[in-house]
Amino acid sequence: MGNALRFLYGHCCKPTTAGDSDSLGPQGVSAATVGVSALARDLFHFEITSQVPEGLDKHVVSSKKAQANWYRKLLEAWKEAKPQPETPEEVARLVIQTLKRHQKADVEGLLAFYGLQLPHPLAQVSAGGPTSLPQGVKFEMQTLPVDPKAVADGDTITVYVSTTDTRESSSVPGEVHMAAVQRSKARAERNYGKADALQKKIVEAGYRVINVQNEEILARKYRIRLRGIDAPESSMPYGKEAKEELANLVQGKCLRVFVYGEDRYRRCVGDIYCNGLFLQEVMLKKGLAWHYTAYDKRWELETWEKEARAKRVGLWASSNPEMPWEWRKDRREGR
């Protein structure tokens, strides 16, 4: 066995005491070690017993015999790797490279079983934006490429996050994952009616199987409300322009989203970065949104709005543009 594999097993996968049981992850080790060390442990056991881990068959479509073949290949690949993998990304790449001729559903299921994120090339986002979590951020997400049709208006976007993401992998409902596995199998058998029915079931649960560069990825759906700005509604002047601008900015891009909370419509309220651009800044500077001062007091947003006003760009070309929150209030009150 390779030294790195033995080291990871010996140092990361030490037996836990009874008092530690509440913090155990899905492979029986502490949550902090699920992933690299869990796979190392299972490969260690496989070399001794030729047995694959219990529960894996719930995540993949192939037989136990096929699973044993994967672990045999992975064990040899790990031994031969120079340098040997140590980080979650390195291990995920080793798995994908070693099993590249096997079914995608099996590879993705194996990665999900260990909580390893799929190192998809399109999932790499720009380093632009904060280098650490800003104060008040609940969590950060990195999305799959955005469909421009998912832009509802100038301040709302629907995005999808891969369930192989570390944060997502532990919270996928069992029935959703099973439906995704069954859908992949149905498509392989060209039973498209069954596959469509399973996709509908997945969508109703708040997920979707998305094709990205000919790879099918199970992803969770989120609706994002851009924090601190309010764009014109679609039927208002510049509403169409605001929507088109936002769609052009995010089309086909992976976004970095800092989520601060949830609004009354159950949308995540967050700051969004795209290829290093802060989307709220772009929309404000182009005069396609207002600084939403009722909910946000950041001075920089106020400054960007003032710059657009001074240049009379976008909606500021009008001498007295209507504020979207007042427009919505008038509609609610039937004015």
Side-chain angles (χ1 to χ4, degrees):
M1 174 177 288
N3 291 335
L5 187 57
R6 187 182 299 279
F7 175 83
L8 284 169
Y9 176 78
H11 289 75
C12 300
C13 302
K14 292 178 181 178
T16 56
T17 63
D20 294 331
S21 61
D22 289 343
S23 62
L24 295 184
Q27 283 74 40
V29 293
S30 69
T33 62
V34 169
V36 177
S37 55
L39 178 57
R41 183 202 66 178
D42 288 343
L43 290 174
F44 182 89
H45 286 178
F46 179 81
E47 187 173 43
I48 297 170
T49 66
S50 297
Q51 298 295 312
V52 300
E54 291 295 326
L56 178 61
D57 53 353
K58 295 180 181 179
H59 293 257
V60 299
V61 297
S62 294
S63 65
K64 287 278 189 183
K65 182 177 180 181
Q67 295 168 28
N69 186 36
W70 307 340
Y71 279 77
R72 193 173 298 110
K73 289 182 178 181
L74 288 171
L75 185 61
E76 291 303 316
W78 199 312
K79 289 180 181 179
E80 295 173 2
K82 294 181 181 180
Q84 290 182 318
E86 295 181 358
T87 69
E89 182 175 327
E90 290 171 349
V91 172
R93 291 190 183 281
L94 176 74
V95 170
I96 291 170
Q97 181 63 27
T98 304
L99 304 180
K100 62 184 179 182
R101 297 186 182 278
H102 294 267
Q103 293 187 58
K104 292 174 185 175
D106 284 329
V107 177
E108 291 181 2
L110 183 63
L111 291 173
F113 180 66
Y114 289 105
L116 295 170
Q117 184 173 357
L118 186 70
H120 198 282
L122 285 178
Q124 302 302 313
V125 298
S126 169
T131 56
S132 60
L133 287 185
Q135 185 176 1
V137 171
K138 303 294 185 184
F139 63 92
E140 176 184 353
M141 67 173 76
Q142 295 190 4
T143 77
L144 292 172
V146 176
D147 184 337
K149 295 178 182 178
V151 176
D153 51 39
D155 54 37
T156 305
I157 310 173
T158 296
V159 301
Y160 288 89
V161 178
S162 172
T163 55
T164 58
D165 178 270
T166 304
R167 180 177 175 275
E168 298 293 340
S169 61
S170 61
S171 61
V172 182
E175 60 271 19
V176 171
H177 188 86
M178 183 60 66
V181 172
Q182 293 172 346
R183 177 184 179 276
S184 179
K185 188 172 182 179
R187 287 182 63 82
E189 296 171 350
R190 297 188 177 182
N191 188 345
Y192 299 118
K194 181 179 179 181
D196 289 345
L198 288 165
Q199 175 77 310
K200 182 179 179 182
K201 179 179 179 180
I202 294 167
V203 169
E204 288 174 348
Y207 292 78
R208 179 179 289 273
V209 177
I210 298 175
N211 188 288
V212 181
Q213 287 192 343
N214 296 320
E215 291 187 18
E216 291 200 327
I217 299 174
L218 177 62
R220 184 176 176 181
K221 176 183 177 180
Y222 289 92
R223 292 179 66 219
I224 311 297
R225 176 66 163 79
L226 276 68
R227 173 176 174 247
I229 69 170
D230 198 1
E233 299 294 332
S234 298
S235 57
M236 293 178 65
Y238 288 93
K240 180 181 178 182
E241 289 84 349
K243 177 180 178 179
E244 289 178 350
E245 177 64 26
L246 187 57
N248 289 335
L249 286 168
V250 302
Q251 181 175 3
K253 306 291 198 315
C254 298
L255 308 180
R256 186 183 185 193
V257 185
F258 294 99
V259 177
Y260 286 80
E262 192 173 86
D263 69 8
R264 59 179 175 173
Y265 302 108
R266 303 193 69 180
R267 297 175 297 188
C268 292
V269 178
D271 288 342
I272 304 182
Y273 293 83
C274 176
N275 286 354
L277 296 175
F278 182 31
L279 294 190
Q280 283 96 313
E281 178 181 359
V282 175
M283 297 299 288
L284 285 167
K285 284 185 172 181
K286 291 197 172 187
L288 295 173
W290 296 69
H291 178 203
Y292 208 173
T293 55
Y295 297 96
D296 192 292
K297 304 300 182 183
R298 284 178 286 179
W299 64 266
E300 60 268 35
L301 272 65
E302 179 183 358
T303 299
W304 296 327
E305 182 189 288
K306 286 181 177 178
E307 290 178 8
R309 283 177 179 258
K311 295 177 181 177
R312 302 188 68 82
V313 296
L315 63 91
W316 304 115
S318 171
S319 60
N320 188 29
E322 186 174 9
M323 293 172 279
W325 54 88
E326 292 292 344
W327 185 92
R328 291 191 295 268
K329 181 180 178 181
D330 288 345
R331 295 305 178 278
R332 286 195 300 269
E333 295 176 355
R335 297 179 188 173

